Amino acid sequence: MVNVVTYSLRDGQKNSGQYYQDVAVFTDEVLVEAEDRVGALVKAFQTYLRQTGRETPRSGAEYAFELLTLGVLWQTYANVALVLGRPPPAHSGRGETSPGRRRKLPGLFCMDSGR
């Protein structure tokens, strides 16, 4: 049997150490850019959390990552989300979505079980 490697972090190197160094440098660059772009927003949110006690504020890097993730998801799915126009119907409690709702949103239900 052939040993198939789907990916490798070594990139021709003896081990994956260089990959992790490259990721660390990239992460530092992203954090610097995030501080420039959303640092004030993150600090304001942390202050809000301290004042309201809603949660213990986490690091600025964590909130920057959440904003980056939100931005990527928004870029990817905003058009679909905006088309919905209204919240989904009440949940039945059985982990199912109504067949009518599946028909209206076929692109969102790739594995429709037909229930």
Side-chain angles (χ1 to χ4, degrees), residues 17 39 47 89 107 114:
T47 299

Side-chain angles (χ1 to χ4, degrees), residues 4-84:
V4 177
V5 177
T6 56
Y7 66 91
S8 172
L9 302 179
R10 293 184 302 182
D11 192 30
Q13 305 290 318
K14 188 173 185 175
N15 59 45
S16 58
Q18 185 62 50
Y19 168 81
Y20 290 106
Q21 288 176 0
D22 293 345
V23 168
V25 168
F26 176 72
T27 300
D28 291 342
E29 292 172 2
V30 169
L31 291 175
V32 167
E33 189 70 23
E35 177 62 30
D36 289 346
R37 291 178 181 241
V38 297
L41 177 65
V42 167
K43 286 180 179 96
F45 185 61
Q46 288 170 317
T47 299
Y48 164 79
L49 292 174
R50 277 188 214 89
Q51 290 173 346
T52 63
R54 294 185 65 87
E55 74 176 49
T56 302
R58 293 174 273 141
S59 72
E62 289 179 80
Y63 291 120
F65 177 73
E66 287 186 5
L67 285 169
L68 178 61
T69 302
L70 178 63
V72 169
L73 292 172
W74 183 255
Q75 289 254 299
T76 303
Y77 298 109
N79 290 336
V80 174
L82 293 172
V83 167
L84 297 176

Side-chain angles (χ1 to χ4, degrees), residues 73-115:
L73 292 172
W74 183 255
Q75 289 254 299
T76 303
Y77 298 109
N79 290 336
V80 174
L82 293 172
V83 167
L84 297 176
R86 58 185 155 83
H91 190 272
S92 68
R94 296 181 302 181
E96 299 175 2
T97 303
S98 71
R101 189 69 174 165
R102 281 195 300 266
R103 279 193 298 275
K104 292 177 187 171
L105 304 171
L108 296 179
F109 296 92
C110 299
M111 300 182 72
D112 187 345
S113 64
R115 286 191 265 176

